[in-house]
Amino acid sequence: MQDFPQSIMEYICTSLMDERSMGFFLIDAGGKVLRSGGMLSDFAISPPRPEDDITDILLFMKGLLPLEQSPLKLSQIRIHPGVTVDAHLFQTAEGYGLILLDAVHQEKLVARFQQKANELVLLREKHTRILEHNFGKGFAEQLLELDPHTNAVKKPATILLVSIRGVSELAEHYEPLQIFSTLREYVSTMIQSVHVEGGIVKDTFGNTIMAVFGLLPSALPPAHQSLNAVHKIFKKIADLNTNRSEHRLNALEVGMGVASCEVMAGIKSREERHSLMVVGPCFEMADRLEKLTRPGQVIVDRSTFELSGELKKCFAPVRVRLGVNTDFSLAFAWEGSND
Amino acid sequence: MIKKKVCMLGSFAVGKTSLVQRFVHSIFSQKYSTTVGVKIDKKTLSIREKTMDLILWDLHGKDEFQEIRMSYLRGASGCIYVVDGTRLKTLDVFRELRNKTRDYVGDVPFVVALNKWDLRREWEIGSDAMDDLEKEGAVIIKTSAKTGLCVEEVFQTLARLMVDN
């Protein structure tokens, strides 16, 4: 034991117990409870009777005794719905000591990140399957011309952010299942248009999709590809809205932001699993521009406009403020609903 | 009363929790909800006129960011490896976990649940891969936590193997 004075040890223990509920068991070598205490009721555990078998009180103790190595730490064990503990099992003079520490907060924190990460990996696997189904196995990575063993390459790219508007208003009149079904209809239309124009949908967040152009080879510059996708999205959504109006269903519009820059693209590789990583300043720019659009409008940055070829004629210059304390910048708007 | 510890193992999002929920509580949720750490559950079975408590350790799946913590496997009498039939990669994860488990707990009985049979049109695991698995000595059972197909059979089969072991 380190040379900690009693007062310091007491403070550490009090502080730990204030933060997390704690309970303990002292168990003999055969697994019978000798003594217990602490805040066991916080873990939905009734006070045990002397000689109770620990495996009857805590199911997870089955098979853990005798200990071969001490201590044994098992983290985030959900013992009942809403009750998660970290368990510390160690040898004592009488047999074993078992400490339970409340771990609900830690579980929730980890779950939030893990859920998002796993959902993104599943989405990426789905995209890879679609590409491989259409173009053959390994095609996605070949097209990206990226070596999983090198870090990353710089590529000119265009980012398209598409967001469905009016979802909150829709939520006031329809059941969640109907809203989900409506969103699915619009989002699949958007994703399809991106894929047709050679873009990759990098992320989807509820009513928004983020697509990257320029990673897959194309005869067209990425900016032009993205604007072709914008045109398709406007057209397909107009068709969808006509169809929905005929069935007396609410029609929704989208707002889009587009920005171009050089991005760093690479494949993060671990064993057989590869994931695409893309970073660059135009992600933030596309996001800000999208937030400034009206329904049925797309706003593009100057770089995208300069690279948009004959589609330049669709745009009118607009002055936009991209941040609270920033000057006005020049951007270009296209009223898709006027097409 | 016989008590046996059984570990559910596999890649993330293959349906380990869904199989346990279907088996123990007869419920199924379409929503994917990741498991953090491990969830403990219990189900009592009757095997060859003996009553057996299965203590189910529903472990978090192996993913890009975390390996399975082998200390969870201590004292396991059997394992159920869950593979998602629509994702071929999850079969590689099974093989990797099988080797690691064997090193840690020895040759305990196991069953492979090829899950998501309700999505069989999207399956990437074909009959050749299944034949290979059987040649490797695996008991494989096609399951669907969604419809309940063969879920009971997976746990009953493992329970029988553990009794005979």
Side-chain angles (χ1 to χ4, degrees):
Chain A
M1 178 67 72
Q2 296 286 326
D3 187 21
F4 288 114
Q6 182 69 19
S7 56
I8 299 292
M9 292 302 290
E10 276 174 13
Y11 175 80
I12 292 171
C13 289
T14 310
S15 165
L16 183 62
M17 282 190 275
D18 280 348
E19 280 177 23
R20 300 168 75 180
S21 297
M22 193 186 292
F24 76 87
F25 292 88
L26 291 173
I27 311 156
D28 71 14
K32 304 286 181 201
V33 175
L34 299 171
R35 212 178 129 195
S36 63
M39 292 157 265
L40 293 180
S41 59
D42 286 4
F43 305 121
I45 299 171
S46 308
R49 290 165 305 195
E51 297 292 298
D52 270 355
D53 193 309
I54 190 68
T55 61
D56 291 332
I57 301 159
L58 293 165
L59 294 172
F60 74 81
M61 286 297 292
K62 169 69 190 161
L64 296 186
L65 300 180
L67 268 191
E68 281 168 5
Q69 58 178 55
S70 179
L72 176 68
K73 295 176 191 170
L74 297 169
S75 54
Q76 291 159 343
I77 308 173
R78 190 182 289 186
I79 55 174
H80 302 294
V83 181
T84 302
V85 299
D86 289 341
H88 295 241
L89 186 59
F90 51 94
Q91 275 173 332
T92 64
E94 304 138 305
Y96 302 100
L98 170 64
I99 295 174
L100 303 181
L101 283 164
D102 174 38
V104 171
H105 178 68
Q106 286 82 349
E107 183 197 30
K108 282 184 182 162
L109 203 65
V110 174
R112 211 177 298 158
F113 291 106
Q114 194 171 293
Q115 177 81 23
K116 190 72 193 162
N118 288 352
E119 281 174 358
L120 288 174
V121 173
L122 288 173
L123 184 68
R124 192 187 62 219
E125 285 181 3
K126 195 175 173 186
H127 286 168
T128 306
R129 272 201 300 275
I130 291 168
L131 283 170
E132 289 185 346
H133 176 74
N134 289 310
F135 303 108
K137 199 163 172 55
F139 186 77
E141 279 159 26
Q142 281 174 31
L143 281 184
L144 291 169
E145 296 167 352
L146 297 172
D147 180 354
H149 303 292
T150 60
N151 289 331
V153 293
K154 209 177 245 188
K155 278 179 166 261
T158 299
I159 311 304
L160 165 64
L161 217 99
V162 193
S163 181
I164 305 167
R165 300 296 172 78
V167 179
S168 310
E169 289 82 348
L170 199 69
E172 290 170 13
H173 306 289
Y174 292 92
E175 294 294 317
L177 198 63
Q178 288 171 299
I179 295 165
F180 178 76
S181 163
T182 306
L183 281 181
R184 194 172 53 183
E185 205 172 4
Y186 280 86
V187 169
S188 8
T189 301
M190 285 143 52
I191 290 176
Q192 200 184 9
S193 305
V194 168
H195 285 163
V196 167
E197 293 303 326
I200 292 174
V201 176
K202 189 172 177 292
D203 287 313
T204 61
F205 331 87
N207 60 336
T208 304
I209 67 163
M210 181 191 280
V212 186
F213 294 83
L215 299 182
L216 304 178
S218 164
L220 291 175
H224 207 139
Q225 283 179 283
S226 72
L227 295 176
N228 283 345
V230 164
H231 188 245
K232 276 204 170 64
I233 290 171
F234 276 142
K235 190 171 178 317
K236 281 180 178 287
I237 284 189
D239 292 346
L240 183 59
N241 284 342
T242 307
N243 185 267
R244 285 178 65 85
S245 301
E246 283 168 8
H247 292 86
R248 296 186 177 180
L249 293 167
N250 281 44
L252 298 173
E253 293 290 349
V254 294
M256 293 184 260
V258 186
S260 301
C261 65
E262 282 204 318
V263 297
M264 292 301 291
I267 291 177
K268 188 178 136 217
S269 180
R270 187 169 166 190
E271 296 172 358
E272 291 302 306
R273 194 183 284 276
H274 305 315
S275 60
L276 175 66
M277 308 281 289
V278 192
V279 288
C282 43
F283 282 94
E284 178 70 17
M285 175 64 93
D287 182 44
R288 289 184 181 194
L289 291 174
E290 182 277 316
K291 284 188 171 60
L292 296 170
T293 57
R294 294 192 301 274
Q297 187 186 44
V298 58
I299 300 182
V300 307
D301 68 343
R302 186 194 281 260
S303 311
T304 306
F305 176 75
E306 297 296 344
L307 295 164
S308 58
E310 77 267 18
L311 290 172
K312 272 185 181 172
K313 62 179 185 291
C314 303
F315 289 94
V318 286
R319 282 161 60 76
V320 293
R321 190 171 242 168
L322 295 168
V324 179
N325 295 318
T326 55
D327 290 336
F328 282 99
S329 309
L330 184 63
F332 299 85
W334 175 0
E335 306 293 334
S337 48
N338 296 342
D339 278 8
Chain B
M1 169 80 79
I2 310 168
K3 284 182 188 168
K4 297 282 185 188
K5 172 174 172 176
V6 171
C7 290
M8 307 289 296
L9 292 157
S11 179
F12 72 97
V14 292
K16 297 179 289 298
T17 302
S18 295
L19 286 169
V20 172
Q21 291 294 305
R22 168 64 75 182
F23 176 58
V24 178
H25 305 291
S26 304
I27 54 172
F28 174 79
S29 168
Q30 190 78 40
K31 186 175 173 253
Y32 167 57
S33 179
T34 184
T35 298
V36 173
V38 58
K39 292 175 184 166
I40 310 292
D41 236 313
K42 184 181 88 167
K43 173 99 173 186
T44 305
L45 291 182
S46 187
I47 298 290
R48 300 201 177 113
E49 296 171 5
K50 289 177 186 165
T51 308
M52 179 190 283
D53 268 353
L54 292 187
I55 312 298
L56 301 169
W57 283 56
D58 173 18
L59 273 71
H60 65 90
K62 182 188 178 311
D63 59 37
E64 285 188 32
F65 310 99
Q66 56 178 345
E67 296 292 326
I68 303 292
R69 299 167 212 163
M70 286 294 139
S71 51
Y72 284 145
L73 301 179
R74 179 166 171 71
S77 301
C79 293
I80 293 171
Y81 296 95
V82 185
V83 173
D84 177 351
T86 68
R87 290 157 64 210
L88 187 59
K89 284 178 181 175
T90 63
L91 192 59
D92 300 334
V93 175
F94 150 67
R95 291 204 167 91
E96 187 191 326
L97 289 175
R98 169 86 188 111
N99 289 334
K100 282 187 179 169
T101 312
R102 195 157 35 195
D103 291 346
Y104 194 80
V105 291
D107 259 323
V108 295
F110 72 97
V111 172
V112 180
L114 295 178
N115 198 29
K116 306 195 186 178
W117 184 245
D118 51 291
L119 301 173
R120 59 189 170 278
R121 284 183 190 167
E122 297 171 30
W123 267 39
E124 293 183 342
I125 296 175
S127 52
D128 288 351
M130 288 187 231
D131 290 346
D132 289 345
L133 275 177
E134 281 180 333
K135 280 178 200 158
E136 291 165 28
V139 176
I140 59 170
I141 298 171
K142 288 175 199 149
T143 59
S144 166
K146 186 175 181 177
T147 65
L149 174 82
C150 293
V151 175
E152 189 90 17
E153 192 186 332
V154 168
F155 292 91
Q156 289 277 356
T157 304
L158 181 67
R160 275 196 299 276
L161 289 172
M162 289 191 297
V163 168
D164 296 343
N165 191 35

